[in-house]
Amino acid sequence: MDDPVRRRRPRPLTSGPRLVVEGRSGRATPDLDLGIDAGPPFSSYDVASHGPDPVPDWVITSASARDTTLGPLKSGKEADVALLERAVPSGPGSLLAVKTYRDSHHRMFHRDSGYQEGRRTRRSRESRAMATRTAFGRELLASKWATAEFAVLSTLWRAGANVPYPVQMLGSELMMEFIGSPDGVAAPRLSSWTGDAAEFTELWHDLVAGLEILAQEGLTHGDLSPYNVLVHQDRCVIIDLPQAVDVIANPQGETFLRRDTQVIAGFFARRGVLEADGELLALHLGGIARG
């Protein structure tokens, strides 16, 4: 557990547009002087909230860049994730994972009130709308979860955790670093990764180092499982963090922490990792969170 944590170095991602499918990402209406066949929508980077400094070199910030949707990556109960390429015409490009939280017509987070304990909403009208699940309130919840994940990713990236870099956030849509190969193949989830006990032991120590960084920020994942961890370049990348819980401020913080550690330790123990003990890990991380 005492192994130093190395910050992942951003990878350059380059490829040209391959498919034009207009979606929510980018500007849907092209400039009038571009004519009818204007191509993919422009980047929305200039009108969105940006990720933390220093911005990695692979992030495309040019206002002339175009956003090309390349297809879905994942569809879940709370959000859909798609692959997008942002590229400057005849210039560099990068692949992004675009996470769009569901609107008022779709199911939202189960047990979301438990996750949100310890968080504050200043406007009483918004608080009432979210509590009563009006259409307006459900839309607010969608953007609230996007904002929460963007903030947590930003905090953890600054702290050196192995998480996707959050490129931008706009409404209920979050764009982040795509974790996978330059040709658009996503990194496998820990749940489907294969290896021997020694390899899983290395991944266990790497993941624990990442969880220690969360604990240093007073957080636990809140829904940690082998489905919320990617294996990329022999390291664990923690994903799906909108419900991250403040261990101290949330009255159920210790409960969420113990559940996280029990689930993930059980997975590694079943794969021969002798050090994987959920109770000991919860005590260790809880001590770090409490300072």
Side-chain angles (χ1 to χ4, degrees):
M1 295 183 182
D2 296 326
D3 292 343
V5 180
R6 298 190 302 274
R7 182 166 181 164
R8 176 169 43 82
R9 300 176 65 181
R11 305 170 306 287
L13 300 172
T14 58
S15 57
R18 293 182 290 273
L19 177 67
V20 177
V21 180
E22 185 173 289
R24 290 188 60 180
S25 304
R27 297 173 180 167
T29 305
D31 293 343
L32 294 178
D33 62 346
L34 293 178
I36 298 177
D37 187 16
F42 281 105
S43 164
S44 56
Y45 187 79
D46 60 332
V47 295
S49 299
H50 299 162
D53 292 327
V55 177
D57 292 340
W58 56 264
V59 175
I60 306 298
T61 62
S62 171
S64 64
R66 300 295 189 109
D67 285 348
T68 302
T69 303
L70 302 179
L73 289 173
K74 176 190 174 186
S75 180
K77 294 187 297 292
E78 292 84 24
D80 295 320
V81 183
L83 181 64
L84 178 140
E85 180 179 66
R86 175 167 289 170
V88 176
S90 302
S94 64
L95 295 179
L96 302 176
V98 183
K99 188 172 187 177
T100 305
Y101 283 90
R102 297 299 182 86
D103 61 22
S104 60
H105 299 292
H106 296 81
R107 177 183 175 187
M108 288 306 301
F109 277 85
H110 61 294
R111 306 187 308 277
D112 58 272
S113 60
Y115 289 118
Q116 293 190 80
E117 290 189 73
R119 301 180 187 177
R120 295 181 180 179
T121 300
R122 294 181 179 179
R123 300 179 184 177
S124 59
R125 174 173 176 256
E126 294 181 355
S127 298
R128 288 194 301 271
M130 287 187 287
T132 57
R133 295 301 192 272
T134 63
F136 171 63
R138 290 194 296 270
E139 290 169 0
L140 282 174
L141 277 171
S143 61
K144 186 178 181 70
W145 286 114
T147 300
E149 183 162 25
F150 181 76
V152 170
L153 286 173
S154 297
T155 295
L156 295 178
W157 175 269
R158 291 191 192 98
N162 205 19
V163 297
Y165 176 77
V167 174
Q168 68 175 61
M169 194 273 296
L170 186 61
S172 60
E173 183 181 81
L174 170 62
M175 289 191 189
M176 67 192 88
E177 176 184 7
F178 170 69
I179 306 299
S181 62
D183 60 356
V185 178
R189 296 179 184 272
L190 179 60
S191 59
S192 62
W193 193 80
T194 57
D196 57 27
E199 291 169 317
F200 272 107
T201 298
E202 290 296 319
L203 288 177
W204 165 257
H205 288 298
D206 185 66
L207 180 58
V208 168
L211 296 177
E212 287 175 339
I213 296 178
L214 267 73
Q216 289 166 10
E217 300 298 325
L219 301 172
T220 189
H221 187 285
D223 193 27
L224 186 62
S225 79
Y227 296 95
N228 290 332
V229 178
L230 302 180
V231 180
H232 184 61
Q233 298 178 348
D234 299 322
R235 296 199 60 196
C236 289
V237 182
I238 303 172
I239 61 170
D240 292 338
L241 286 152
Q243 72 293 307
V245 172
D246 189 314
V247 177
I248 306 302
N250 190 313
Q252 302 181 57
E254 291 286 347
T255 299
F256 282 112
L257 174 61
R258 287 195 299 273
R259 188 179 70 186
D260 281 350
T261 58
Q262 289 287 357
V263 170
I264 203 66
F267 171 83
F268 277 98
R270 290 190 296 273
R271 281 149 183 83
V273 180
L274 300 179
E275 297 94 331
D277 185 308
E279 285 296 329
L280 289 178
L281 182 58
L283 289 172
H284 174 65
L285 296 178
I288 293 175
R290 290 186 292 272

